[in-house]
Amino acid sequence: MSETKILLSERDIPRQWYNIAADLDTPLKPPLHPGTKQPVGPDDLAPLFPMALIEQEVSTQRWIDIPEEIIDIYRLWRPTPLYRARRLEQALDTPAKIYYKYEGVSPAGSHKPNTAVVQAYYNKQEGVKRLATETGAGQWGSALSLACKLFGLECTVYMVKISYQQKPYRRSLMQVWGAEVIPSPSPRTQAGRAILEQDPDSPGSLGIAISEAVEDAASRDDTKYSLGSVLNHVLLHQTIIGLEAKKQLELAGDYPDVVIGAHGGGSNFAGLAFPFLADKAAGKEVRAVAVEPTASPSLTRGHAAYDFGDTAGMTPLLYMYTLGHQFVPPGIHAGGLRYHGAAPLVAHLYEQGVIEAKAVPQRAVFEAAVQFARTEGLLPAPESAHAVRAAIDEALLAKEEGKERTILFGLSGHGHFDLAAYDAYLAGELEDFELPQEAIDAALAHLPKAD
Amino acid sequence: MSETKILLSERDIPRQWYNIAADLDTPLKPPLHPGTKQPVGPDDLAPLFPMALIEQEVSTQRWIDIPEEIIDIYRLWRPTPLYRARRLEQALDTPAKIYYKYEGVSPAGSHKPNTAVVQAYYNKQEGVKRLATETGAGQWGSALSLACKLFGLECTVYMVKISYQQKPYRRSLMQVWGAEVIPSPSPRTQAGRAILEQDPDSPGSLGIAISEAVEDAASRDDTKYSLGSVLNHVLLHQTIIGLEAKKQLELAGDYPDVVIGAHGGGSNFAGLAFPFLADKAAGKEVRAVAVEPTASPSLTRGHAAYDFGDTAGMTPLLYMYTLGHQFVPPGIHAGGLRYHGAAPLVAHLYEQGVIEAKAVPQRAVFEAAVQFARTEGLLPAPESAHAVRAAIDEALLAKEEGKERTILFGLSGHGHFDLAAYDAYLAGELEDFELPQEAIDAALAHLPKAD
């Protein structure tokens, strides 16, 4: 049997991120100030982000150098392995070749540290002492906690209160890495106090937590804000995944017909797929499929429109595929995919017909995850399992059609934090959520009015 | 900065395990039948183990070939990385070089699958359809569940009832990998029924669970028993860890002055240290330190004596360092180290003065684990953190003495399943356990009488 894992050495860690903004046929629609509806400039963003990240956010330079200090941190878990899923292929009896890029080897167990360490680095460079962010179940918050600790920054994470209470383990992980974790809504901010006055027992929401983190950062000179997905610079940093995967497939003498990634805010999908889309821009045939939950179908059932990035309506307006910023997805276990919109870059490519999207229901996702775990061994995070489902479906289609094809998907994290979800699946207690059109329409009615 | 991880390719996976029995100055004392006090032979063990494992158990051949089918499974996570802990070294400001071998990349998150897949393989080869085993918190049970699934065997795990109820996540992991998990004591076996008659609410114990698994295996022709530590063949399989580490250190142009491993039953420590002890047998200077909890100090405070391997007294008598088979360790969070005895091979080497042992208290272990996580990123399992503590102490001693030295320790698993323990530590709720001499003496009073 030939090799199962295609490994790179640390010398092969890419030295530049790939910026897809350089290869767009039409320019990205800029973020707008919600009051004036005019494009926001660097000065509008400066209270929240360091200038280096703002520059990356608007850059159209194709390749952006990765600082040596970041490479040295990436060495702690990168390059990550690319696997050939031979045992899964055999179980499916498919003529397709299946590869997966595994990001679960990072200390946080997911792809999130790829951008967290970069954001911490640039903030440190510009003299920032402290970062504030929000987290739902805790994946992003734990990644940023780690990143801040590695660069000697303080970190405050506003964690949705219901998760803080019900999912204490990710909170503990953040605390092990030295972060201050505040259940949100909190008395710490005006936004939090306003909610608590109305409802002292509020369970919180990601939207409220964002409001608190943004207010915290905006109101303190030593503090800036950090976001784990959606923004251009976040997607940029994650391209390290796809750039490595390209090198690894080259070593294997292969190239994907289709690249598949789970899609929430967009950074995981973009990180894997964008470097391949560079080839597509150069004329090569490659499909890219973003896989989202039927419970939160921003690409497949949302509208292309300007909308707020957060539930509370505090951010600039971003041109996204969106279900409306007040859309609250049902409580699926893939918490990282419960977001109302798609990153502007992903939305742009989808609107242009460059990429595909597909929504999959929860039980089919866990069915695929269990099949994967029983053949390949590794236990997928529920988010990542969306890509597993779509990859298996592609492989089964190849079998039906009797055609070879090469499938690459992203296994963005391990599921060792998510066994309660597997337990519920095995007990037959998981629900599928096919949203009625009225629910979608009701949420879309809250889109901000265009002027 | 030079490389952080020293990686091997799959071509470098060792093709033979190292059997330290070939290099002992005096032969190992054989296991005895508890009734006759005569050495047990292969026929006595045949109802429980396949002949290939029994042969390995008594073999004195130095190198034992690893079947190609096992290599192909090892490819799913092996070779594992060897890290140079540069960031930890800097934080400690030590002249010592610290390396660690990381086994947390396996699908189960620990070193346990290294032997589980071998045991499943040989059983499958000899026509066995089903394996029975016991598990406490679930590390061994999950590894064997995975192994059985990969080789198409059924797997029944008797899980200590209190863990089954309080730690459902490892149970879920076993079920994802297709195992049947039975809370023990159960009505399934005579041993279980006897306990339940006396105490229907019994929380169970590892000893009871062993009794149930052994009875299950002995009473069914299609079923054998599997053990996750202590026995010679288990330690043999784990030498894959140290054999890889030797190759990796050779690539780094280095050799350890001291090799450190956490010690419960002995397989993790042995797996890392024995291949280096082969060099010591050939005249090279290298220290090997087994690190155990002060709450379960079989090497540092136990007696060298024949004792049962299990609490219930059903196994052959093994010559171990032991606290007495009825010793019940306090409830430390490193559940995998809560065992009353040391593996016969480890005990023999300790009695001969070939290896050292050290006991460390729980809070100091977690203090080291947090320091490690905050510098190196990875979160150690509480068991592995015992080795982290001892490695840090060695590095601090090097600093005090102003002497260079090269330290290698085993990071046998990640702590993503163990955040409740970290939470308790950070909340200041962890206890240290220094056992009073009377407690040790009372436990030792139950050693079987020599004839």
Side-chain angles (χ1 to χ4, degrees), chain A residues 5 10 75 78 176 374, chain B residues 5 10 75 176 374:
Chain A
K5 302 183 295 303
E10 291 174 25
R75 291 174 195 277
R78 305 210 70 84
V176 167
R374 289 180 177 182
Chain B
K5 302 182 295 301
E10 292 174 23
R75 291 173 194 278
V176 166
R374 288 180 177 182

Side-chain angles (χ1 to χ4, degrees), chain A residues 405-427:
Chain A
R405 75 192 61 181
T406 299
I407 300 165
L408 167 65
F409 76 90
L411 191 69
S412 54
H414 71 60
H416 290 177
F417 291 112
D418 303 287
L419 282 158
Y422 279 93
D423 202 38
Y425 169 70
L426 293 172

